[in-house]
Amino acid sequence: MTKLTHRLAGVLETLARALRRHSRDDGKVLILGGVRSGKSHHAERLASRHPHLTYLAPGLPPSADDPEWAARVAAHRARRPSTWKTIETTDLATVLRTATHPLLIDCLGTWIARVLDEVGAWDQRKGWERRLDDRLEDFLAAWAQADVPVIAVSNEVGSGVVPATVSGRVFRDVLGALNNRVSAVSDRTVLVVAGRMLDLP
């Protein structure tokens, strides 16, 4: 009887873990990782259980001036199921607030790079810090209030060398701080290292 009880308890605990994971995946998930870590693949695999999903692409659109970037964008597009809708925008907050289907944002790093450009950070235009704070606070409020499942991919930028340029350090610091705040209001945070997913407690 004791062995049967222990076995049943083990099965129930496994089921409970699976149910907890499932409910967390239906909330807000942040997936972090370095360059070519496999973070986008894992995010797409996690999102694939949603037949209808909106894919938010906040990075620069492809251009003939940058064939390498255009090839990256094409590879990402080719992987997406035909039932997914793609929106290319930097206005993530509005999409989060109006979404009626699950969302996948890939990625916050490319979004931050564009936002820094839009607010005038690169050429140090007067008031850029305030404009940046407004954009980040708007996004964070929308993320916290989103009532559809949402997955965001972001670059883990805290493990590399200190950037040699001011712009590089600004990007690293802003994105690192954003990752912290997004993680704090997410149901699940995952770190992808060498293609392996690690759940962060």
Side-chain angles (χ1 to χ4, degrees), residues 52-82:
H52 300 287
L53 178 136
T54 299
Y55 184 104
L56 284 177
L60 287 169
S63 164
D65 296 333
D66 190 345
E68 189 271 341
W69 178 250
R72 284 176 184 250
V73 172
H76 274 257
R77 286 175 174 168
R79 289 201 310 255
R80 296 174 208 159
S82 59

PDB file of all heavy atoms in Angstrom, residues 52-82:
ATOM      1  N   HIS A  52      -3.947  30.452 -34.145  1.00  0.00           N
ATOM      2  CA  HIS A  52      -4.036  31.828 -34.639  1.00  0.00           C
ATOM      3  C   HIS A  52      -3.256  32.719 -33.691  1.00  0.00           C
ATOM      4  O   HIS A  52      -3.575  32.830 -32.508  1.00  0.00           O
ATOM      5  CB  HIS A  52      -5.501  32.269 -34.740  1.00  0.00           C
ATOM      6  CG  HIS A  52      -6.295  31.415 -35.671  1.00  0.00           C
ATOM      7  ND1 HIS A  52      -6.149  31.474 -37.041  1.00  0.00           N
ATOM      8  CD2 HIS A  52      -7.210  30.454 -35.428  1.00  0.00           C
ATOM      9  CE1 HIS A  52      -6.952  30.599 -37.608  1.00  0.00           C
ATOM     10  NE2 HIS A  52      -7.606  29.957 -36.653  1.00  0.00           N
ATOM     11  N   LEU A  53      -2.249  33.356 -34.225  1.00  0.00           N
ATOM     12  CA  LEU A  53      -1.327  34.134 -33.405  1.00  0.00           C
ATOM     13  C   LEU A  53      -0.861  35.346 -34.194  1.00  0.00           C
ATOM     14  O   LEU A  53      -0.731  35.292 -35.420  1.00  0.00           O
ATOM     15  CB  LEU A  53      -0.126  33.258 -33.011  1.00  0.00           C
ATOM     16  CG  LEU A  53       0.986  33.897 -32.199  1.00  0.00           C
ATOM     17  CD1 LEU A  53       1.423  32.963 -31.073  1.00  0.00           C
ATOM     18  CD2 LEU A  53       2.186  34.224 -33.078  1.00  0.00           C
ATOM     19  N   THR A  54      -0.613  36.439 -33.487  1.00  0.00           N
ATOM     20  CA  THR A  54      -0.052  37.632 -34.125  1.00  0.00           C
ATOM     21  C   THR A  54       1.424  37.711 -33.782  1.00  0.00           C
ATOM     22  O   THR A  54       1.794  37.721 -32.610  1.00  0.00           O
ATOM     23  CB  THR A  54      -0.776  38.909 -33.659  1.00  0.00           C
ATOM     24  OG1 THR A  54      -2.158  38.817 -34.018  1.00  0.00           O
ATOM     25  CG2 THR A  54      -0.165  40.140 -34.316  1.00  0.00           C
ATOM     26  N   TYR A  55       2.251  37.764 -34.816  1.00  0.00           N
ATOM     27  CA  TYR A  55       3.697  37.836 -34.669  1.00  0.00           C
ATOM     28  C   TYR A  55       4.100  39.306 -34.815  1.00  0.00           C
ATOM     29  O   TYR A  55       3.882  39.913 -35.870  1.00  0.00           O
ATOM     30  CB  TYR A  55       4.356  36.981 -35.747  1.00  0.00           C
ATOM     31  CG  TYR A  55       5.857  36.875 -35.685  1.00  0.00           C
ATOM     32  CD1 TYR A  55       6.470  35.723 -35.201  1.00  0.00           C
ATOM     33  CD2 TYR A  55       6.673  37.917 -36.126  1.00  0.00           C
ATOM     34  CE1 TYR A  55       7.850  35.615 -35.161  1.00  0.00           C
ATOM     35  CE2 TYR A  55       8.045  37.818 -36.082  1.00  0.00           C
ATOM     36  CZ  TYR A  55       8.629  36.661 -35.600  1.00  0.00           C
ATOM     37  OH  TYR A  55       9.998  36.558 -35.559  1.00  0.00           O
ATOM     38  N   LEU A  56       4.647  39.872 -33.742  1.00  0.00           N
ATOM     39  CA  LEU A  56       5.078  41.264 -33.769  1.00  0.00           C
ATOM     40  C   LEU A  56       6.564  41.332 -34.104  1.00  0.00           C
ATOM     41  O   LEU A  56       7.393  40.806 -33.355  1.00  0.00           O
ATOM     42  CB  LEU A  56       4.836  41.925 -32.415  1.00  0.00           C
ATOM     43  CG  LEU A  56       3.396  42.303 -32.093  1.00  0.00           C
ATOM     44  CD1 LEU A  56       3.298  42.879 -30.694  1.00  0.00           C
ATOM     45  CD2 LEU A  56       2.877  43.297 -33.092  1.00  0.00           C
ATOM     46  N   ALA A  57       6.884  41.984 -35.207  1.00  0.00           N
ATOM     47  CA  ALA A  57       8.268  42.138 -35.646  1.00  0.00           C
ATOM     48  C   ALA A  57       8.635  43.617 -35.545  1.00  0.00           C
ATOM     49  O   ALA A  57       8.324  44.397 -36.442  1.00  0.00           O
ATOM     50  CB  ALA A  57       8.429  41.640 -37.080  1.00  0.00           C
ATOM     51  N   PRO A  58       9.287  44.027 -34.439  1.00  0.00           N
ATOM     52  CA  PRO A  58       9.564  45.453 -34.249  1.00  0.00           C
ATOM     53  C   PRO A  58      10.918  45.911 -34.777  1.00  0.00           C
ATOM     54  O   PRO A  58      11.294  47.064 -34.593  1.00  0.00           O
ATOM     55  CB  PRO A  58       9.506  45.606 -32.729  1.00  0.00           C
ATOM     56  CG  PRO A  58       9.996  44.291 -32.217  1.00  0.00           C
ATOM     57  CD  PRO A  58       9.551  43.261 -33.221  1.00  0.00           C
ATOM     58  N   GLY A  59      11.651  45.012 -35.424  1.00  0.00           N
ATOM     59  CA  GLY A  59      12.966  45.386 -35.940  1.00  0.00           C
ATOM     60  C   GLY A  59      12.867  46.148 -37.253  1.00  0.00           C
ATOM     61  O   GLY A  59      11.780  46.383 -37.786  1.00  0.00           O
ATOM     62  N   LEU A  60      14.013  46.527 -37.772  1.00  0.00           N
ATOM     63  CA  LEU A  60      14.040  47.221 -39.062  1.00  0.00           C
ATOM     64  C   LEU A  60      13.509  46.323 -40.163  1.00  0.00           C
ATOM     65  O   LEU A  60      13.819  45.122 -40.197  1.00  0.00           O
ATOM     66  CB  LEU A  60      15.471  47.648 -39.399  1.00  0.00           C
ATOM     67  CG  LEU A  60      16.049  48.814 -38.596  1.00  0.00           C
ATOM     68  CD1 LEU A  60      17.544  48.934 -38.860  1.00  0.00           C
ATOM     69  CD2 LEU A  60      15.335  50.114 -38.939  1.00  0.00           C
ATOM     70  N   PRO A  61      12.709  46.854 -41.082  1.00  0.00           N
ATOM     71  CA  PRO A  61      12.274  46.041 -42.226  1.00  0.00           C
ATOM     72  C   PRO A  61      13.468  45.710 -43.114  1.00  0.00           C
ATOM     73  O   PRO A  61      14.487  46.408 -43.094  1.00  0.00           O
ATOM     74  CB  PRO A  61      11.268  46.952 -42.941  1.00  0.00           C
ATOM     75  CG  PRO A  61      11.571  48.331 -42.473  1.00  0.00           C
ATOM     76  CD  PRO A  61      12.171  48.212 -41.106  1.00  0.00           C
ATOM     77  N   PRO A  62      13.356  44.628 -43.885  1.00  0.00           N
ATOM     78  CA  PRO A  62      14.475  44.259 -44.755  1.00  0.00           C
ATOM     79  C   PRO A  62      14.747  45.333 -45.794  1.00  0.00           C
ATOM     80  O   PRO A  62      13.849  46.055 -46.221  1.00  0.00           O
ATOM     81  CB  PRO A  62      14.014  42.951 -45.400  1.00  0.00           C
ATOM     82  CG  PRO A  62      12.529  42.970 -45.279  1.00  0.00           C
ATOM     83  CD  PRO A  62      12.218  43.728 -44.034  1.00  0.00           C
ATOM     84  N   SER A  63      16.010  45.431 -46.190  1.00  0.00           N
ATOM     85  CA  SER A  63      16.414  46.452 -47.149  1.00  0.00           C
ATOM     86  C   SER A  63      17.515  45.900 -48.047  1.00  0.00           C
ATOM     87  O   SER A  63      18.353  45.100 -47.603  1.00  0.00           O
ATOM     88  CB  SER A  63      16.924  47.685 -46.396  1.00  0.00           C
ATOM     89  OG  SER A  63      17.648  48.538 -47.244  1.00  0.00           O
ATOM     90  N   ALA A  64      17.508  46.361 -49.297  1.00  0.00           N
ATOM     91  CA  ALA A  64      18.563  45.958 -50.231  1.00  0.00           C
ATOM     92  C   ALA A  64      19.925  46.491 -49.801  1.00  0.00           C
ATOM     93  O   ALA A  64      20.964  45.970 -50.213  1.00  0.00           O
ATOM     94  CB  ALA A  64      18.226  46.456 -51.639  1.00  0.00           C
ATOM     95  N   ASP A  65      19.922  47.521 -48.957  1.00  0.00           N
ATOM     96  CA  ASP A  65      21.179  48.076 -48.468  1.00  0.00           C
ATOM     97  C   ASP A  65      21.868  47.168 -47.458  1.00  0.00           C
ATOM     98  O   ASP A  65      23.052  47.339 -47.177  1.00  0.00           O
ATOM     99  CB  ASP A  65      20.936  49.447 -47.797  1.00  0.00           C
ATOM    100  CG  ASP A  65      20.427  50.476 -48.790  1.00  0.00           C
ATOM    101  OD1 ASP A  65      20.744  50.339 -49.992  1.00  0.00           O
ATOM    102  OD2 ASP A  65      19.710  51.398 -48.370  1.00  0.00           O
ATOM    103  N   ASP A  66      21.134  46.209 -46.885  1.00  0.00           N
ATOM    104  CA  ASP A  66      21.694  45.305 -45.889  1.00  0.00           C
ATOM    105  C   ASP A  66      21.225  43.886 -46.193  1.00  0.00           C
ATOM    106  O   ASP A  66      20.288  43.377 -45.585  1.00  0.00           O
ATOM    107  CB  ASP A  66      21.256  45.734 -44.481  1.00  0.00           C
ATOM    108  CG  ASP A  66      21.995  44.988 -43.378  1.00  0.00           C
ATOM    109  OD1 ASP A  66      22.636  43.961 -43.677  1.00  0.00           O
ATOM    110  OD2 ASP A  66      21.920  45.422 -42.210  1.00  0.00           O
ATOM    111  N   PRO A  67      21.885  43.214 -47.152  1.00  0.00           N
ATOM    112  CA  PRO A  67      21.426  41.874 -47.559  1.00  0.00           C
ATOM    113  C   PRO A  67      21.496  40.840 -46.443  1.00  0.00           C
ATOM    114  O   PRO A  67      20.696  39.910 -46.404  1.00  0.00           O
ATOM    115  CB  PRO A  67      22.354  41.512 -48.725  1.00  0.00           C
ATOM    116  CG  PRO A  67      23.514  42.448 -48.617  1.00  0.00           C
ATOM    117  CD  PRO A  67      23.019  43.684 -47.955  1.00  0.00           C
ATOM    118  N   GLU A  68      22.444  41.008 -45.524  1.00  0.00           N
ATOM    119  CA  GLU A  68      22.549  40.045 -44.420  1.00  0.00           C
ATOM    120  C   GLU A  68      21.317  40.127 -43.533  1.00  0.00           C
ATOM    121  O   GLU A  68      20.745  39.106 -43.139  1.00  0.00           O
ATOM    122  CB  GLU A  68      23.828  40.319 -43.613  1.00  0.00           C
ATOM    123  CG  GLU A  68      24.160  39.253 -42.571  1.00  0.00           C
ATOM    124  CD  GLU A  68      23.521  39.512 -41.217  1.00  0.00           C
ATOM    125  OE1 GLU A  68      23.121  40.676 -40.955  1.00  0.00           O
ATOM    126  OE2 GLU A  68      23.403  38.561 -40.417  1.00  0.00           O
ATOM    127  N   TRP A  69      20.870  41.349 -43.201  1.00  0.00           N
ATOM    128  CA  TRP A  69      19.674  41.521 -42.394  1.00  0.00           C
ATOM    129  C   TRP A  69      18.440  41.035 -43.150  1.00  0.00           C
ATOM    130  O   TRP A  69      17.559  40.387 -42.579  1.00  0.00           O
ATOM    131  CB  TRP A  69      19.501  42.988 -41.985  1.00  0.00           C
ATOM    132  CG  TRP A  69      18.256  43.240 -41.197  1.00  0.00           C
ATOM    133  CD1 TRP A  69      17.143  43.915 -41.596  1.00  0.00           C
ATOM    134  CD2 TRP A  69      17.984  42.804 -39.851  1.00  0.00           C
ATOM    135  NE1 TRP A  69      16.184  43.931 -40.594  1.00  0.00           N
ATOM    136  CE2 TRP A  69      16.687  43.258 -39.517  1.00  0.00           C
ATOM    137  CE3 TRP A  69      18.710  42.076 -38.913  1.00  0.00           C
ATOM    138  CZ2 TRP A  69      16.100  43.009 -38.278  1.00  0.00           C
ATOM    139  CZ3 TRP A  69      18.118  41.831 -37.669  1.00  0.00           C
ATOM    140  CH2 TRP A  69      16.835  42.293 -37.369  1.00  0.00           C
ATOM    141  N   ALA A  70      18.384  41.327 -44.447  1.00  0.00           N
ATOM    142  CA  ALA A  70      17.252  40.874 -45.257  1.00  0.00           C
ATOM    143  C   ALA A  70      17.159  39.349 -45.255  1.00  0.00           C
ATOM    144  O   ALA A  70      16.061  38.785 -45.192  1.00  0.00           O
ATOM    145  CB  ALA A  70      17.389  41.394 -46.687  1.00  0.00           C
ATOM    146  N   ALA A  71      18.304  38.677 -45.289  1.00  0.00           N
ATOM    147  CA  ALA A  71      18.309  37.213 -45.254  1.00  0.00           C
ATOM    148  C   ALA A  71      17.805  36.687 -43.910  1.00  0.00           C
ATOM    149  O   ALA A  71      17.075  35.695 -43.842  1.00  0.00           O
ATOM    150  CB  ALA A  71      19.719  36.688 -45.528  1.00  0.00           C
ATOM    151  N   ARG A  72      18.169  37.364 -42.829  1.00  0.00           N
ATOM    152  CA  ARG A  72      17.682  36.957 -41.497  1.00  0.00           C
ATOM    153  C   ARG A  72      16.167  37.092 -41.413  1.00  0.00           C
ATOM    154  O   ARG A  72      15.480  36.198 -40.906  1.00  0.00           O
ATOM    155  CB  ARG A  72      18.325  37.820 -40.409  1.00  0.00           C
ATOM    156  CG  ARG A  72      19.765  37.469 -40.086  1.00  0.00           C
ATOM    157  CD  ARG A  72      20.321  38.459 -39.066  1.00  0.00           C
ATOM    158  NE  ARG A  72      21.724  38.229 -38.789  1.00  0.00           N
ATOM    159  CZ  ARG A  72      22.186  37.756 -37.634  1.00  0.00           C
ATOM    160  NH1 ARG A  72      21.362  37.475 -36.656  1.00  0.00           N
ATOM    161  NH2 ARG A  72      23.475  37.566 -37.458  1.00  0.00           N
ATOM    162  N   VAL A  73      15.666  38.230 -41.896  1.00  0.00           N
ATOM    163  CA  VAL A  73      14.222  38.457 -41.858  1.00  0.00           C
ATOM    164  C   VAL A  73      13.505  37.409 -42.707  1.00  0.00           C
ATOM    165  O   VAL A  73      12.475  36.856 -42.290  1.00  0.00           O
ATOM    166  CB  VAL A  73      13.890  39.883 -42.344  1.00  0.00           C
ATOM    167  CG1 VAL A  73      12.378  40.062 -42.507  1.00  0.00           C
ATOM    168  CG2 VAL A  73      14.446  40.921 -41.368  1.00  0.00           C
ATOM    169  N   ALA A  74      14.044  37.104 -43.879  1.00  0.00           N
ATOM    170  CA  ALA A  74      13.421  36.107 -44.756  1.00  0.00           C
ATOM    171  C   ALA A  74      13.379  34.738 -44.091  1.00  0.00           C
ATOM    172  O   ALA A  74      12.379  34.011 -44.205  1.00  0.00           O
ATOM    173  CB  ALA A  74      14.186  36.030 -46.078  1.00  0.00           C
ATOM    174  N   ALA A  75      14.447  34.375 -43.383  1.00  0.00           N
ATOM    175  CA  ALA A  75      14.480  33.080 -42.694  1.00  0.00           C
ATOM    176  C   ALA A  75      13.420  33.014 -41.605  1.00  0.00           C
ATOM    177  O   ALA A  75      12.745  31.994 -41.430  1.00  0.00           O
ATOM    178  CB  ALA A  75      15.871  32.839 -42.108  1.00  0.00           C
ATOM    179  N   HIS A  76      13.260  34.109 -40.868  1.00  0.00           N
ATOM    180  CA  HIS A  76      12.228  34.146 -39.835  1.00  0.00           C
ATOM    181  C   HIS A  76      10.834  34.032 -40.448  1.00  0.00           C
ATOM    182  O   HIS A  76       9.978  33.297 -39.948  1.00  0.00           O
ATOM    183  CB  HIS A  76      12.336  35.447 -39.020  1.00  0.00           C
ATOM    184  CG  HIS A  76      13.297  35.364 -37.887  1.00  0.00           C
ATOM    185  ND1 HIS A  76      12.898  35.210 -36.588  1.00  0.00           N
ATOM    186  CD2 HIS A  76      14.657  35.410 -37.866  1.00  0.00           C
ATOM    187  CE1 HIS A  76      13.965  35.168 -35.804  1.00  0.00           C
ATOM    188  NE2 HIS A  76      15.039  35.293 -36.553  1.00  0.00           N
ATOM    189  N   ARG A  77      10.610  34.752 -41.523  1.00  0.00           N
ATOM    190  CA  ARG A  77       9.294  34.721 -42.172  1.00  0.00           C
ATOM    191  C   ARG A  77       8.968  33.324 -42.681  1.00  0.00           C
ATOM    192  O   ARG A  77       7.824  32.858 -42.573  1.00  0.00           O
ATOM    193  CB  ARG A  77       9.256  35.715 -43.334  1.00  0.00           C
ATOM    194  CG  ARG A  77       9.169  37.172 -42.898  1.00  0.00           C
ATOM    195  CD  ARG A  77       9.257  38.101 -44.097  1.00  0.00           C
ATOM    196  NE  ARG A  77       9.040  39.491 -43.724  1.00  0.00           N
ATOM    197  CZ  ARG A  77       9.278  40.520 -44.527  1.00  0.00           C
ATOM    198  NH1 ARG A  77       9.735  40.308 -45.762  1.00  0.00           N
ATOM    199  NH2 ARG A  77       9.065  41.755 -44.112  1.00  0.00           N
ATOM    200  N   ALA A  78       9.972  32.657 -43.234  1.00  0.00           N
ATOM    201  CA  ALA A  78       9.746  31.332 -43.813  1.00  0.00           C
ATOM    202  C   ALA A  78       9.360  30.297 -42.758  1.00  0.00           C
ATOM    203  O   ALA A  78       8.675  29.314 -43.078  1.00  0.00           O
ATOM    204  CB  ALA A  78      11.006  30.876 -44.560  1.00  0.00           C
ATOM    205  N   ARG A  79       9.793  30.514 -41.525  1.00  0.00           N
ATOM    206  CA  ARG A  79       9.493  29.547 -40.455  1.00  0.00           C
ATOM    207  C   ARG A  79       8.079  29.689 -39.899  1.00  0.00           C
ATOM    208  O   ARG A  79       7.580  28.783 -39.246  1.00  0.00           O
ATOM    209  CB  ARG A  79      10.468  29.731 -39.285  1.00  0.00           C
ATOM    210  CG  ARG A  79      11.880  29.296 -39.549  1.00  0.00           C
ATOM    211  CD  ARG A  79      12.624  29.019 -38.254  1.00  0.00           C
ATOM    212  NE  ARG A  79      12.514  30.092 -37.281  1.00  0.00           N
ATOM    213  CZ  ARG A  79      13.504  30.961 -37.007  1.00  0.00           C
ATOM    214  NH1 ARG A  79      14.625  30.904 -37.671  1.00  0.00           N
ATOM    215  NH2 ARG A  79      13.342  31.881 -36.073  1.00  0.00           N
ATOM    216  N   ARG A  80       7.439  30.828 -40.117  1.00  0.00           N
ATOM    217  CA  ARG A  80       6.149  31.078 -39.479  1.00  0.00           C
ATOM    218  C   ARG A  80       5.017  30.333 -40.189  1.00  0.00           C
ATOM    219  O   ARG A  80       4.953  30.311 -41.418  1.00  0.00           O
ATOM    220  CB  ARG A  80       5.822  32.576 -39.513  1.00  0.00           C
ATOM    221  CG  ARG A  80       6.784  33.415 -38.725  1.00  0.00           C
ATOM    222  CD  ARG A  80       6.508  34.901 -38.910  1.00  0.00           C
ATOM    223  NE  ARG A  80       7.736  35.658 -38.744  1.00  0.00           N
ATOM    224  CZ  ARG A  80       7.945  36.864 -39.208  1.00  0.00           C
ATOM    225  NH1 ARG A  80       7.005  37.490 -39.892  1.00  0.00           N
ATOM    226  NH2 ARG A  80       9.101  37.473 -39.009  1.00  0.00           N
ATOM    227  N   PRO A  81       4.104  29.736 -39.407  1.00  0.00           N
ATOM    228  CA  PRO A  81       2.930  29.092 -40.020  1.00  0.00           C
ATOM    229  C   PRO A  81       2.096  30.106 -40.798  1.00  0.00           C
ATOM    230  O   PRO A  81       2.047  31.290 -40.454  1.00  0.00           O
ATOM    231  CB  PRO A  81       2.155  28.559 -38.806  1.00  0.00           C
ATOM    232  CG  PRO A  81       3.153  28.467 -37.701  1.00  0.00           C
ATOM    233  CD  PRO A  81       4.141  29.573 -37.953  1.00  0.00           C
ATOM    234  N   SER A  82       1.416  29.634 -41.814  1.00  0.00           N
ATOM    235  CA  SER A  82       0.620  30.534 -42.663  1.00  0.00           C
ATOM    236  C   SER A  82      -0.565  31.131 -41.903  1.00  0.00           C
ATOM    237  O   SER A  82      -1.117  32.150 -42.318  1.00  0.00           O
ATOM    238  CB  SER A  82       0.113  29.777 -43.894  1.00  0.00           C
ATOM    239  OG  SER A  82      -0.690  28.673 -43.492  1.00  0.00           O
TER     240      SER A  82
END
